[in-house]
Amino acid sequence: MNKGEKILEVKDVTAGYGPVDVLFDASIEVNKGEFVVVIGPNGAGKTTLMRTIDGVLKPKKGKVMFNGENITGMDPSDILTKGISYVPQEGNIFTDMSVMDNLEMGAYTYEGDIQERLDMIFDLFPILKERLKQTSGNLSGGQRQMLAISRGIMIDPSLLILDEPTSGLQPNLVTDVLDSIVRLQEEEDMTILLVAQTEQAIPAADRGYLLRSGEIIFEAPTDTLLDNDQVMNLYFGG
Amino acid sequence: MLGSIVNGIILGSIITLGGLGISYILLIQNYFNFTGGTFFTLGAYLAFAFLSIIPMGSFPVVSFGPGLILALILSMIVLAIIMTAVDKFLYQPLRKRNSPFMFFYLTAFGMLFVLRSLIYLIWGPQLKNYISGVRKTYHLAGGINISPDEIFVVLATLIIVGIVYYFQYYTKLGKAMLATANDSRLAEISGIKNKHVHTTVTIIAGVLTATAGVFYGLAIQLRPIMGFTLLMAMFFAVVCGGDGAILGTLGAGLIIGITQEFGSEILQVIFDSTGIPIEMSGYKQVLAFLLLIVILTTKPHGIFQGTFLER
């Protein structure tokens, strides 16, 4: 697949929890090599959208296409083998296991050279190399996020989905984590779909979607997003 | 007294293997498998049934032959199949529906009575032995009487515990089991299929439980309530060892084995000297229960480091 070709297509997806729908006819597209951000206020359905793409939630309506293949309703473990890796906002590391075990579990289905992946990760997040034997539950917030992203990229995914990876981090760490994500896009040629909580994430992306009350209401390149009063009012309250 | 400690080590080895079977189910499937003791009995009787068609043969030193090893392997396979079938048809639907854990316990209790009735129906209430006749016993200093079969049981247990330890902490599948125990949702999105892990765990539990049952039959004898009488001791090993902790279960298994044997002998001496007419051999489970209460009230998280810290 060439850069710029459509890699992910979410078409008119309606999904929710039990009888309650959270997402209504949502549609997004991500092209290969792109860094796409999904923004929206709390409760807009951002996480529900990511869970639906990854198979954690089965949509009630609509479909999810990946590399031209319909992956709607597949199990998360099968979707992973197709090349989509999902890093949830919470519960994104095995807290009782060591850093190294977390990385190994991230590569559970990976058939290539694991050492190569580890070298790439240690280059991206050198601190993890120093913490390999440490129980991951004892890591700091920033280190946890670094490990969560690393666990997600161990299989060398075609599409990396990150759900609010900078949530709860200090401002300087937010910059570090976002810089690492940009490096993944640029150096590893990884396609990124990111749910953003902070406006700092928007300039790093190529394009963005605004989600409100379960509906996609706006889609634009990120500079347009940042200039849009509606976005700024809705999302950042000013 | 030294003799009862040795007997405790032998019993503790058997408790460890049975306890590990229950421990694995608790670690991954989050419920206490009350049927564990009855599966233990079934494993022992399955080997007994296979021995009726397999010639025993003979090994040097010990009283059994290759026939028992073959019967043990067949018992492991059949018990693993039975336990996997029970999991698939009874517990998997409960897991799918996110049923309350009370449903799991009720199902386990129901299975316990069904299996026990079947064992009585097929093999009857009489005591049985794998080997007939008098067995060779070494009479050592300190009143220690130990047979080569019992030495085999202890050594084989240590080897099996070593293999299980290696599997759990140093293999990809073993770590995947730990990952599932830690966070099954994250494990699933990391590519670890929960269904496969559940099946693997059930098979391992079946193999360990069958081995424990056959070892009990070899070192002591076969009777329909053999697993049930050890259930409290096995629960002790699981709770105090830390669910899924291999070395913890071994340590707790040996502690409870020795406590039951040594403690009951001490108490017997006390009761005999005071003229209280109590036969302590019938109250060994009470000792296991009392020790469990003491440990749970003083060290509620168990006495060992737990599954994720013992490596």
Coordinates of all heavy atoms in Angstrom, one line a residue, chain A residues 146-193:
Chain A
M146 N 4.7 5.8 28.3 CA 5.8 5.4 27.4 C 5.7 3.9 27.2 O 5.8 3.4 26.1 CB 7.1 5.8 27.9 CG 7.4 7.3 27.9 SD 8.9 7.7 28.7 CE 8.8 9.4 29.0
L147 N 5.5 3.2 28.3 CA 5.4 1.7 28.2 C 4.2 1.3 27.5 O 4.2 0.3 26.7 CB 5.4 1.1 29.7 CG 5.3 -0.4 29.7 CD1 6.5 -1.1 29.0 CD2 5.3 -1.0 31.1
A148 N 3.1 2.0 27.7 CA 1.8 1.6 27.0 C 2.0 1.8 25.5 O 1.6 0.9 24.8 CB 0.7 2.5 27.6
I149 N 2.6 2.9 25.1 CA 2.8 3.1 23.7 C 3.8 2.0 23.1 O 3.5 1.4 22.1 CB 3.4 4.5 23.4 CG1 2.3 5.6 23.8 CG2 3.8 4.7 22.0 CD1 2.9 7.0 23.9
S150 N 4.8 1.8 23.9 CA 5.8 0.8 23.5 C 5.1 -0.6 23.3 O 5.4 -1.3 22.4 CB 6.9 0.7 24.5 OG 7.6 1.9 24.6
R151 N 4.3 -1.0 24.3 CA 3.6 -2.3 24.2 C 2.8 -2.3 22.9 O 2.7 -3.3 22.2 CB 2.7 -2.5 25.4 CG 2.0 -3.8 25.5 CD 0.8 -3.8 26.4 NE -0.2 -2.8 26.0 CZ -1.0 -2.9 24.9 NH1 -0.9 -4.0 24.2 NH2 -1.8 -2.0 24.6
G152 N 2.2 -1.1 22.6 CA 1.3 -1.1 21.4 C 2.1 -1.2 20.1 O 1.6 -1.6 19.1
I153 N 3.4 -0.7 20.1 CA 4.1 -0.7 18.8 C 5.1 -1.9 18.7 O 5.8 -2.0 17.7 CB 4.9 0.6 18.6 CG1 5.9 0.8 19.8 CG2 4.0 1.8 18.5 CD1 6.8 2.1 19.6
M154 N 5.1 -2.8 19.7 CA 6.0 -4.0 19.6 C 5.7 -4.8 18.4 O 6.6 -5.5 17.8 CB 5.9 -4.8 20.9 CG 6.8 -4.4 22.0 SD 8.5 -4.4 21.7 CE 8.9 -6.1 21.7
I155 N 4.4 -4.9 17.9 CA 4.1 -5.7 16.8 C 4.3 -5.0 15.5 O 4.0 -5.5 14.4 CB 2.7 -6.3 16.8 CG1 1.7 -5.1 16.8 CG2 2.4 -7.2 18.0 CD1 0.4 -5.5 16.2
D156 N 4.9 -3.8 15.5 CA 5.1 -3.0 14.3 C 3.8 -2.8 13.5 O 3.7 -3.3 12.4 CB 6.1 -3.7 13.4 CG 6.7 -2.7 12.3 OD1 6.3 -1.5 12.4 OD2 7.4 -3.2 11.4
P157 N 2.8 -2.2 14.2 CA 1.5 -2.1 13.5 C 1.4 -1.2 12.3 O 2.2 -0.2 12.2 CB 0.6 -1.6 14.7 CG 1.5 -0.7 15.5 CD 2.9 -1.4 15.4
S158 N 0.5 -1.4 11.4 CA 0.3 -0.5 10.3 C -0.5 0.8 10.8 O -0.3 1.9 10.4 CB -0.6 -1.1 9.2 OG -0.1 -2.4 8.9
L159 N -1.4 0.5 11.8 CA -2.2 1.6 12.4 C -2.1 1.6 13.9 O -2.4 0.5 14.5 CB -3.6 1.6 11.9 CG -4.6 2.5 12.6 CD1 -4.3 4.0 12.2 CD2 -6.0 2.2 12.2
L160 N -1.6 2.7 14.5 CA -1.6 2.7 16.0 C -2.7 3.7 16.5 O -2.7 4.8 16.1 CB -0.2 3.2 16.4 CG 0.0 3.4 17.9 CD1 0.0 2.1 18.6 CD2 1.4 4.1 18.2
I161 N -3.5 3.1 17.3 CA -4.6 3.9 17.9 C -4.3 4.2 19.3 O -4.0 3.3 20.1 CB -6.0 3.2 17.8 CG1 -6.3 2.8 16.4 CG2 -7.1 4.0 18.5 CD1 -7.6 2.0 16.3
L162 N -4.2 5.5 19.6 CA -3.8 6.0 21.0 C -5.0 6.7 21.6 O -5.4 7.8 21.0 CB -2.6 6.8 20.9 CG -1.3 6.2 20.3 CD1 -0.3 7.3 19.9 CD2 -0.7 5.3 21.4
D163 N -5.5 6.3 22.7 CA -6.6 6.9 23.4 C -6.1 7.8 24.5 O -5.7 7.3 25.6 CB -7.6 5.9 23.9 CG -8.9 6.5 24.3 OD1 -9.0 7.8 24.4 OD2 -9.9 5.8 24.5
E164 N -6.0 9.1 24.3 CA -5.6 10.1 25.2 C -4.3 9.7 25.9 O -4.2 9.5 27.2 CB -6.7 10.4 26.2 CG -8.0 10.9 25.5 CD -9.0 11.5 26.5 OE1 -8.7 11.6 27.7 OE2 -10.1 11.9 26.0
P165 N -3.2 9.5 25.2 CA -1.9 9.1 25.7 C -1.3 10.1 26.7 O -0.4 9.8 27.4 CB -1.1 8.8 24.5 CG -1.6 9.7 23.5 CD -3.1 9.8 23.7
T166 N -1.8 11.4 26.6 CA -1.1 12.4 27.4 C -2.0 12.8 28.6 O -1.7 13.7 29.4 CB -0.9 13.7 26.6 OG1 -2.1 14.1 26.0 CG2 0.2 13.4 25.5
S167 N -3.0 12.0 28.8 CA -4.0 12.3 29.9 C -3.3 12.2 31.3 O -2.6 11.2 31.6 CB -5.1 11.3 29.8 OG -5.9 11.3 31.0
G168 N -3.4 13.3 32.0 CA -2.9 13.3 33.4 C -1.4 13.5 33.5 O -0.8 13.4 34.6
L169 N -0.7 13.8 32.4 CA 0.7 14.0 32.4 C 1.1 15.5 32.6 O 0.3 16.4 32.2 CB 1.4 13.5 31.1 CG 1.2 12.1 30.8 CD1 2.0 11.8 29.5 CD2 1.7 11.2 31.9
Q170 N 2.3 15.7 33.2 CA 2.8 17.1 33.4 C 3.0 17.7 32.0 O 3.4 16.9 31.1 CB 4.1 17.1 34.1 CG 3.9 16.7 35.6 CD 5.3 16.4 36.2 OE1 6.3 16.5 35.6 NE2 5.2 16.0 37.5
P171 N 2.9 19.0 31.8 CA 3.1 19.6 30.5 C 4.4 19.2 29.8 O 4.4 19.0 28.6 CB 3.0 21.1 30.8 CG 2.2 21.2 32.1 CD 2.5 20.0 32.9
N172 N 5.5 19.2 30.5 CA 6.8 18.8 29.8 C 6.7 17.4 29.3 O 7.3 17.1 28.3 CB 8.0 19.1 30.7 CG 7.9 18.2 32.0 OD1 6.8 18.0 32.6 ND2 9.1 17.8 32.5
L173 N 6.0 16.5 30.1 CA 5.9 15.1 29.6 C 5.0 15.0 28.4 O 5.2 14.1 27.6 CB 5.4 14.2 30.8 CG 6.5 13.9 31.9 CD1 5.8 13.2 33.0 CD2 7.6 13.1 31.3
V174 N 4.0 15.8 28.4 CA 3.0 15.8 27.3 C 3.8 16.1 26.0 O 3.7 15.4 25.0 CB 1.9 16.9 27.4 CG1 1.1 17.1 26.2 CG2 1.0 16.5 28.6
T175 N 4.7 17.1 26.0 CA 5.5 17.4 24.9 C 6.4 16.2 24.5 O 6.5 15.9 23.3 CB 6.4 18.6 25.2 OG1 5.6 19.6 25.7 CG2 7.1 19.1 23.9
D176 N 7.0 15.6 25.5 CA 7.9 14.4 25.2 C 7.1 13.3 24.5 O 7.6 12.7 23.5 CB 8.5 13.9 26.5 CG 9.6 14.8 27.1 OD1 10.0 15.8 26.3 OD2 10.0 14.6 28.2
V177 N 6.0 13.0 25.1 CA 5.2 11.9 24.5 C 4.7 12.2 23.1 O 4.8 11.4 22.2 CB 4.0 11.5 25.5 CG1 3.0 10.6 24.8 CG2 4.5 10.9 26.8
L178 N 4.2 13.5 22.9 CA 3.8 13.8 21.6 C 4.9 13.8 20.6 O 4.8 13.4 19.4 CB 3.1 15.2 21.6 CG 1.7 15.3 22.2 CD1 1.3 16.7 22.4 CD2 0.7 14.4 21.5
D179 N 6.1 14.3 21.0 CA 7.3 14.2 20.1 C 7.6 12.8 19.7 O 8.0 12.5 18.5 CB 8.5 14.8 20.8 CG 8.5 16.3 20.9 OD1 7.6 16.9 20.2 OD2 9.3 16.9 21.6
S180 N 7.5 11.9 20.6 CA 7.7 10.4 20.4 C 6.7 9.9 19.3 O 7.1 9.1 18.4 CB 7.6 9.6 21.6 OG 8.5 10.1 22.6
I181 N 5.5 10.3 19.5 CA 4.4 9.9 18.5 C 4.7 10.4 17.1 O 4.6 9.7 16.1 CB 3.0 10.3 19.0 CG1 2.7 9.6 20.4 CG2 2.0 10.0 18.0 CD1 1.5 10.1 21.1
V182 N 5.2 11.7 17.1 CA 5.5 12.2 15.8 C 6.7 11.5 15.2 O 6.7 11.2 14.0 CB 5.8 13.7 15.9 CG1 6.4 14.3 14.6 CG2 4.6 14.5 16.3
R183 N 7.7 11.1 16.0 CA 8.8 10.3 15.5 C 8.4 9.0 14.9 O 8.9 8.5 14.0 CB 9.8 10.1 16.7 CG 10.8 11.2 16.8 CD 11.9 10.8 17.9 NE 12.7 9.8 17.4 CZ 13.6 9.2 18.2 NH1 13.7 9.5 19.5 NH2 14.4 8.2 17.8
L184 N 7.4 8.4 15.6 CA 6.9 7.1 15.1 C 6.3 7.3 13.7 O 6.5 6.4 12.9 CB 5.8 6.5 16.1 CG 6.3 5.9 17.3 CD1 5.1 5.5 18.2 CD2 7.1 4.6 17.0
Q185 N 5.6 8.4 13.5 CA 5.0 8.6 12.2 C 6.0 8.9 11.2 O 6.0 8.3 10.1 CB 4.0 9.8 12.3 CG 3.3 10.1 11.0 CD 2.8 11.6 10.9 OE1 3.2 12.4 11.7 NE2 2.0 11.8 9.9
E186 N 7.0 9.7 11.6 CA 8.0 10.1 10.6 C 9.1 9.1 10.3 O 9.4 8.8 9.2 CB 8.6 11.5 11.0 CG 7.7 12.6 10.9 CD 8.2 13.9 11.5 OE1 9.3 13.9 12.1 OE2 7.5 14.9 11.4
E187 N 9.6 8.5 11.4 CA 10.7 7.6 11.2 C 10.3 6.1 11.0 O 11.0 5.4 10.3 CB 11.6 7.7 12.5 CG 12.3 9.0 12.6 CD 13.1 9.2 13.9 OE1 13.4 8.1 14.5 OE2 13.3 10.3 14.3
E188 N 9.2 5.7 11.6 CA 8.8 4.3 11.5 C 7.6 4.2 10.4 O 7.1 3.1 10.2 CB 8.3 3.8 12.8 CG 9.3 3.8 13.9 CD 10.5 2.8 13.6 OE1 10.2 1.7 13.0 OE2 11.6 3.2 13.8
D189 N 7.3 5.3 9.9 CA 6.2 5.3 8.8 C 4.9 4.7 9.3 O 4.2 4.0 8.6 CB 6.7 4.5 7.6 CG 6.0 5.0 6.3 OD1 5.5 6.1 6.3 OD2 6.0 4.2 5.4
M190 N 4.6 5.0 10.6 CA 3.4 4.5 11.2 C 2.2 5.4 11.0 O 2.4 6.6 11.1 CB 3.7 4.3 12.7 CG 3.1 3.1 13.3 SD 3.7 2.8 15.0 CE 5.1 1.8 14.7
T191 N 1.1 4.9 10.8 CA -0.1 5.7 10.7 C -0.7 5.8 12.1 O -0.8 4.8 12.9 CB -1.2 5.0 9.8 OG1 -0.5 4.7 8.6 CG2 -2.4 5.9 9.5
I192 N -1.1 7.0 12.5 CA -1.5 7.3 13.9 C -2.9 7.8 13.9 O -3.2 8.7 13.2 CB -0.6 8.3 14.6 CG1 0.9 8.0 14.3 CG2 -0.9 8.5 16.0 CD1 1.6 7.0 15.2
L193 N -3.7 7.2 14.8 CA -5.1 7.8 15.0 C -5.1 8.0 16.5 O -5.0 7.1 17.3 CB -6.1 6.8 14.6 CG -7.6 7.1 15.0 CD1 -8.0 8.4 14.3 CD2 -8.5 6.0 14.5

